[in-house]
Amino acid sequence: MLDANLKQQLDTYLQKIVNPIEIRVSGNDSPKSSELETLASEIVELSGQIELKAGSGKRQPAMAIAPAGEAPRVSFAGIPMGHEFTSLVLALLQAGGHPSKADPEVLEQVRQLEGEYHFETYISLSCQNCPDVVQALNLMARLNPNITHEMIDGALFQKEVDERQVMAVPAVYLNGEHFGQGRMSLDEIVNKLDTGAAERKAAALSERDPYDVLIVGGGPAGAAAAIYAARKGVRTALLAERFGGQVMDTMGIENFISVPYTEGPKLSAGLEQHVKEYGVDIITEQRAASISRHQMLDLELESGATLSSKSVVLATGARWRELGVPGEAKYRTKGVAYCPHCDGPFFKGKHVAVIGGGNSGIEAAIDLAGIVKHVTVLEFGDQLKADEVLQKKARSMPNVDILTNAQTTEITGDGNKVTGLTYTDRATGDSHDVELAGVFVQIGLIPNTEWLKGSDLAMNRFGEIEIDERGATSMPGVFAAGDATTVPYKQIVISMGAGATAALSAFDHLIRSSMEEEEPEAVGQKEAAETVPA
């Protein structure tokens, strides 16, 4: 089950277990159950601190993990490999007494939660967003005896998936009721349960002293800006709804210079760790609401808090652009999806469409073609915009059809899930209906700058922040970088460079501002000296 490399890595991690633990496997006569039993046996062989026992979970196959002698509160219904292998490793370590690196205040908040919380999370092993949620809920279950969590591989429990109409992951249920969809951080989950947490945090944020450089956004541009600012020795903070930004939704990255291949979550984790090494004040689970200049630059947050700074770097990035057609919002997560890597497995053997003929759209079509029965690509223009190598690959696949001059006008369904779409042939004006089970929207990005409308910042008609070659905006002391700006190419490596430029420009602004403040005093001293008799 585990190759030699994985066994070596796992053996290294298991050395950190300080207390004995138990793995309890609930099996049946299926091949997947045999695989899970093999995996459990191989783990046990690597550590004398782990004992294998028979389980009695309501789902089979399943693996439950707990400190020796305790009833399990963390379990995996399915085989936690792929992206979930890290979730398995962390569950083993935490059950064995290895401490979490999460914020101590948040950990204590989890311990203090009152009530019974029984979580279930449906995932797919190809989903890069799912592990964040699984690991957060596993940790909560480990900390609080009133919390349980089970990861469920939707591919192995198709009947449940159909009954609950799960068509996008991660899908989280609490005490049998739908709790949340998509990536959620530990902070976000805890704050959703602890209703008074937001007000307490807002009050605490408003009491913080002003910063020298305040970065808004936690993607590559924001991370680079934070590192470059902090290295100058100035008081630096980074504010973001979540760390990683759009990169967290990117599966394969093959054009990051000097790194032949990496994945978005891995790169984001590296960025976060690098930023933390410089003592940057990282503020997450917060959204900016407005920016204005008074004695300093004041950033008002949606939570009601206000942060002040001598300079600001805006790196709010962008998000997937929506079609804006009837049916899209109604069937979101019910057949309308934006992440082919996450949700593609739920359409195995079915007909799906990809809207968009750029690189992201054609890459999505190629990936989906290996899972689904058939892919129809609809491109609004008269030709695809993707790189030629991608176009050639897509056209070579027998289950991929490409339609150009195709304007999607409606996504249709039966009230519960997508059943098709309607498009207009822009060359003839004819309308066509296509029966399908899923629609993956890949039509580019839209900048996260709506909150800046009405401010003194100049933006273009696309909502991008206008900047000069130094990253300066039209508002003194405010700089910007990355996908939210007028920079022509939206690439990770370009965003990082732009973030560094903006931070260096902010530091230059701080120096010049301090010199201007000191200059009147220096002039006065010179005049006084000249009036003193010799």
Side-chain angles (χ1 to χ4, degrees):
M1 188 69 194
L2 297 174
D3 61 29
N5 184 45
L6 274 180
K7 281 188 177 180
Q8 184 177 4
Q9 293 181 40
L10 186 56
D11 182 55
T12 301
Y13 285 121
L14 295 182
Q15 301 302 318
K16 300 177 181 180
I17 292 178
V18 295
N19 301 319
I21 65 177
E22 297 173 353
I23 294 178
R24 302 185 184 186
V25 175
S26 303
N28 51 30
D29 58 0
S30 69
K32 288 296 182 182
S33 183
S34 297
E35 289 183 32
L36 185 61
E37 290 173 3
T38 299
L39 173 61
S41 297
E42 291 180 351
I43 293 172
V44 170
E45 290 174 0
L46 294 174
S47 175
Q49 294 273 45
I50 306 176
E51 182 180 1
L52 180 60
K53 291 187 174 183
S56 57
K58 69 176 184 178
R59 295 182 177 91
Q60 293 90 32
M63 171 193 293
I65 298 171
E70 289 189 16
R73 300 195 298 271
V74 172
S75 59
F76 298 86
I79 304 175
M81 296 296 290
H83 288 295
E84 293 299 343
F85 185 69
T86 301
S87 302
L88 170 62
V89 173
L90 288 174
L92 292 167
L93 294 180
Q94 290 162 5
H98 189 69
S100 169
K101 295 181 180 180
D103 186 340
E105 291 185 7
V106 178
L107 299 181
E108 184 58 30
Q109 195 177 352
V110 173
R111 295 187 184 98
Q112 296 301 320
L113 288 174
E114 298 180 353
E116 296 287 332
Y117 304 97
H118 302 292
F119 288 98
E120 300 166 305
T121 304
Y122 291 88
I123 62 96
S124 71
L125 296 180
S126 61
C127 169
Q128 72 268 29
N129 296 331
C130 296
D132 287 349
V133 177
V134 171
Q135 291 164 24
L137 291 170
N138 282 350
L139 176 59
M140 291 174 63
R142 179 70 250 128
L143 294 171
N144 189 319
N146 297 320
I147 300 175
T148 65
H149 177 240
E150 184 162 37
M151 179 216 82
I152 306 166
D153 182 358
L156 295 187
F157 297 89
Q158 192 63 48
K159 183 178 179 181
E160 288 186 38
V161 166
D162 293 340
E163 289 175 349
R164 284 180 158 171
Q165 297 184 347
V166 176
M167 301 183 73
V169 289
V172 182
Y173 287 77
L174 171 59
N175 299 335
E177 300 294 328
H178 188 266
F179 175 78
Q181 195 83 35
R183 181 189 292 111
M184 291 179 283
S185 67
L186 175 63
D187 285 8
E188 190 175 356
I189 295 169
V190 175
N191 290 340
K192 195 170 181 178
L193 299 173
D194 184 358
T195 55
E199 292 183 3
R200 295 195 303 271
K201 189 168 186 177
L205 286 174
S206 293
E207 294 177 359
R208 297 194 180 187
D209 294 333
Y211 294 99
D212 293 313
V213 180
L214 173 59
I215 295 113
V216 186
I227 291 168
Y228 268 75
R231 283 174 61 87
K232 293 296 185 181
V234 296
R235 178 169 159 77
T236 305
L238 184 150
L239 179 138
E241 189 172 2
R242 62 169 182 166
F243 209 99
Q246 184 80 4
V247 171
M248 287 293 287
D249 299 324
T250 304
M251 186 62 176
I253 300 171
E254 299 178 333
N255 57 356
F256 191 64
I257 311 306
S258 84
V259 181
Y261 180 83
T262 187
E263 295 179 352
K266 182 178 180 180
L267 177 59
S268 295
L271 292 174
E272 184 173 10
Q273 183 59 40
H274 198 175
V275 171
K276 287 180 176 178
E277 289 179 3
Y278 286 96
V280 174
D281 192 356
I282 299 176
I283 306 167
T284 57
E285 306 305 327
Q286 297 290 322
R287 291 174 62 107
S290 65
I291 186 171
S292 57
R293 172 174 285 283
H294 298 98
Q295 290 183 330
M296 287 192 176
L297 290 162
D298 292 330
L299 189 74
E300 185 175 340
L301 311 183
E302 287 187 358
S303 64
T306 299
L307 298 173
S308 297
S309 182
K310 297 176 183 177
S311 66
V312 170
V313 175
L314 301 176
T316 50
R319 63 187 184 278
W320 293 118
R321 185 181 297 276
E322 298 179 357
L323 284 168
V325 301
E328 180 181 21
K330 181 177 181 179
Y331 293 108
R332 186 175 290 117
T333 75
K334 298 299 181 183
V336 175
Y338 301 85
C339 179
H341 304 293
C342 303
D343 302 328
F346 288 96
F347 298 90
K348 184 177 181 179
K350 299 178 180 179
H351 184 177
V352 302
V354 172
I355 313 299
N359 282 347
S360 60
I362 300 305
E363 286 173 350
I366 293 170
D367 290 341
L368 289 166
I371 301 171
V372 305
K373 182 178 181 180
H374 191 273
V375 181
T376 299
V377 177
L378 293 92
E379 161 59 34
F380 182 86
D382 58 5
Q383 58 184 358
L384 299 180
K385 302 180 181 69
D387 294 342
E388 185 59 36
V389 64
L390 294 175
Q391 293 190 39
K392 185 176 180 180
K393 174 65 175 177
R395 295 184 191 280
S396 72
M397 306 183 85
N399 61 337
V400 175
D401 285 339
I402 297 173
L403 304 175
T404 56
N405 276 321
Q407 180 179 2
T408 303
T409 56
E410 184 179 7
I411 296 174
T412 56
D414 60 8
N416 294 314
K417 62 182 184 299
V418 167
T419 59
L421 64 75
T422 301
Y423 75 91
T424 298
D425 185 327
R426 297 176 57 243
T428 65
D430 295 336
S431 180
H432 302 272
D433 296 323
V434 182
E435 292 185 5
L436 42 75
V439 178
F440 290 83
V441 182
Q442 303 281 291
I443 56 173
L445 303 172
I446 184 169
N448 296 317
T449 58
E450 292 90 346
W451 63 282
L452 292 170
K453 291 179 179 178
S455 70
D456 294 334
L457 281 169
M459 295 188 286
N460 66 13
R461 63 190 181 91
F462 302 110
E464 297 170 329
I465 304 168
E466 294 184 355
I467 58 173
D468 63 14
E469 69 278 3
R470 299 169 60 85
T473 72
S474 60
M475 182 181 290
V478 179
F479 304 84
D483 289 0
T485 73
T486 50
V487 63
Y489 303 111
K490 316 302 185 185
Q491 298 290 317
I492 293 171
V493 68
I494 292 174
S495 290
M496 286 184 173
T501 297
L504 294 173
S505 296
F507 181 69
D508 184 65
H509 169 78
L510 294 176
I511 295 174
R512 294 176 183 275
S513 297
S514 62
M515 291 176 63
E516 290 174 359
E517 291 174 0
E518 295 173 0
E519 187 174 330
E521 181 180 352
V523 171
Q525 290 174 350
K526 180 180 179 181
E527 290 176 349
E530 289 176 347
T531 60
V532 176

